[in-house]
Amino acid sequence: MKKIFAIMIALAATSVFAQSAVNITGLVDTGLLFTNAATGVNTKGLTANNSATTVLNIAGTDDLGGGLRANFKLQLTPDFINGAGVEGTSYNSTTAGTVGVGQEAFIGTEANWGTVKLGRVNSNILDAWGNGSVFGTAIGSGYGQAGNVFTRYSATATHTAQSAPTRFNGAIRYESPAVAGVSGSYLYVPPSARVNAQSVVDYGVKYANGPVSVQYAAQRIEQSGTLATTTASFIATGSQALEAGTNNTLSMLSANYKIGNATVYGGRWTEKQNTATAIDQTGQMFGAKYTVGATSVMWSTGSSNEKSTANVDKKILGYGVDHELSKRTNLYARFDTRDADTNTAGATATAGVTKRTAVGLRHTF
């Protein structure tokens, strides 16, 4: 009788675990970065995320029956420079920098009617950018702060701060299934005191069929109350801080098209903010990748045109080479030159040309 019960328990456990799965995957990017800054200060040293973001993904699914599944994802950026777990620093800093910060984290459900995600969720604007950028969000892309062409209001993506427009805390996102290559997504963050009464509506539509992929995304961050300097917000305090009754809108159209061994990329975006320090800018990028055997060569150019009083126009030019050592390991080289303000002469912290060169190793698992 004991043997029978043991067999029954083992079969039940096997049945339960057969319907549930937890996977650990990730990517490690570490390289030597040389920077010739607009300030005239040159730096060099090991750093992360030169060609892609270092991440550790812990994800799971649970089959609930009837075609319904529950899922979760926790995405961290471990420190492979200093061995400091998920609370790392950049190679030349004592504070949190390019590594050791949180990425996506959500729980949700999925079925034939679509997917729902609840938590810290990537935006449709980020998806649209990735659709049109040959370098993703890494060196050469122009994405982020520090003189990049996109975007003016990105905050540091720490565990406590928001990181608009890349992803949002406290978000609800629905993703539809694809029908004839067309899919859609809608993200919403309700206003709350913990984010300074700022709310978010972010949606996207994508067409992907064969060699072509086209995506449109739009995002609106609304300020419905007084901005408190002690509370995290989607758009941080400073010269571009939102005021009660104002908003920031961002929209983007992007595409990529594969032709044999080549893929061409492109995107165009607009950003407007109706605050006392107004923002009114447009930007565009174009890129290409050509693959021969185990080697891929990449190129990208981008610029932004600021039409407000500030008139801070920017541009970037990037080059890259990837060489596959295996299906999961690549050698890479990246180079970009960025002008943080094409209308201002001189090498200052906010103007002048910065050049970066990186060589390193990227591994996925």
Side-chain angles (χ1 to χ4, degrees):
M1 182 65 70
K2 290 182 179 180
K3 289 184 178 180
I4 294 176
F5 277 120
I7 293 172
M8 291 176 63
I9 292 173
L11 289 174
T14 301
S15 175
V16 169
F17 287 112
Q19 297 177 9
S20 303
V22 175
N23 296 311
I24 298 177
T25 60
L27 182 150
V28 182
D29 181 318
T30 299
L32 187 61
L33 176 66
F34 302 85
T35 301
N36 184 351
T39 57
V41 177
N42 299 331
T43 62
K44 62 181 177 181
L46 286 179
T47 186
N49 310 341
N50 299 308
S51 69
T53 302
T54 296
V55 291
L56 176 66
N57 301 304
I58 304 172
T61 61
D62 185 21
D63 191 342
L64 304 178
L68 181 64
R69 295 176 299 278
N71 55 41
F72 78 92
K73 182 178 182 180
L74 177 61
Q75 189 177 61
L76 304 172
T77 53
D79 182 359
F80 283 85
I81 307 297
N82 305 304
V86 294
E87 292 292 343
T89 62
S90 59
Y91 73 93
N92 61 353
S93 173
T94 57
T95 59
T98 57
V99 294
V101 293
Q103 302 291 311
E104 272 201 302
F106 63 82
I107 188 170
T109 60
E110 58 179 297
N112 56 9
W113 42 260
T115 300
V116 175
K117 298 177 180 178
L118 310 173
R120 180 175 169 85
V121 185
N122 287 348
S123 71
N124 288 288
I125 286 289
L126 178 64
D127 293 344
W129 177 271
N131 190 59
S133 172
V134 65
F135 290 120
T137 59
I139 289 178
S141 69
Y143 190 96
Q145 292 179 301
N148 285 305
V149 297
F150 185 96
T151 179
R152 288 288 294 276
Y153 64 92
S154 179
T156 302
T158 65
H159 295 292
T160 56
Q162 310 298 329
S163 50
T166 303
R167 59 184 61 88
F168 294 96
N169 297 348
I172 304 167
R173 175 167 170 165
Y174 167 74
E175 301 168 358
S176 77
V179 178
V182 179
S183 60
S185 177
Y186 183 86
L187 181 150
Y188 176 66
V189 181
S192 66
R194 61 189 296 266
V195 288
N196 277 310
Q198 291 182 357
S199 61
V200 180
V201 171
D202 170 274
Y203 64 89
V205 179
K206 183 176 183 179
Y207 173 77
N209 192 358
V212 63
S213 177
V214 180
Q215 189 164 356
Y216 174 80
Q219 185 180 103
R220 180 185 178 94
I221 301 178
E222 189 86 27
Q223 182 72 40
S224 57
T226 302
L227 187 71
T229 58
T230 57
T231 306
S233 57
F234 301 126
I235 296 184
T237 56
S239 60
Q240 282 82 44
L242 290 181
E243 303 149 2
T246 64
N247 60 76
N248 185 291
T249 59
L250 179 65
S251 62
M252 182 170 191
L253 178 65
S254 65
N256 66 74
Y257 185 74
K258 185 173 178 59
I259 312 169
N261 292 337
T263 306
V264 292
Y265 300 80
R268 183 173 176 83
W269 61 90
T270 62
E271 181 182 4
K272 294 186 178 181
Q273 186 169 299
N274 58 349
T275 56
T277 306
I279 291 175
D280 184 4
Q281 74 165 349
T282 60
Q284 55 277 319
M285 62 178 171
F286 303 96
K289 178 172 71 173
Y290 188 79
T291 302
V292 179
T295 302
S296 295
V297 180
M298 291 156 284
W299 163 86
S300 181
T301 182
S303 63
S304 61
N305 177 26
E306 173 59 61
K307 292 172 284 186
S308 68
T309 304
N311 195 27
V312 181
D313 299 340
K314 303 174 183 179
K315 64 181 180 180
I316 185 169
L317 181 63
Y319 302 93
V321 177
D322 282 0
H323 180 73
E324 290 184 356
L325 299 177
S326 71
K327 291 184 178 180
R328 297 187 298 167
T329 304
N330 287 59
L331 285 173
Y332 68 80
R334 295 288 187 273
F335 172 80
D336 71 6
T337 175
R338 300 176 300 164
D339 193 331
D341 188 351
T342 61
N343 295 316
T344 301
T348 67
T350 57
V353 176
T354 294
K355 297 179 180 180
R356 297 183 295 176
T357 303
V359 291
L361 192 66
R362 184 177 66 250
H363 174 76
T364 59
F365 60 91

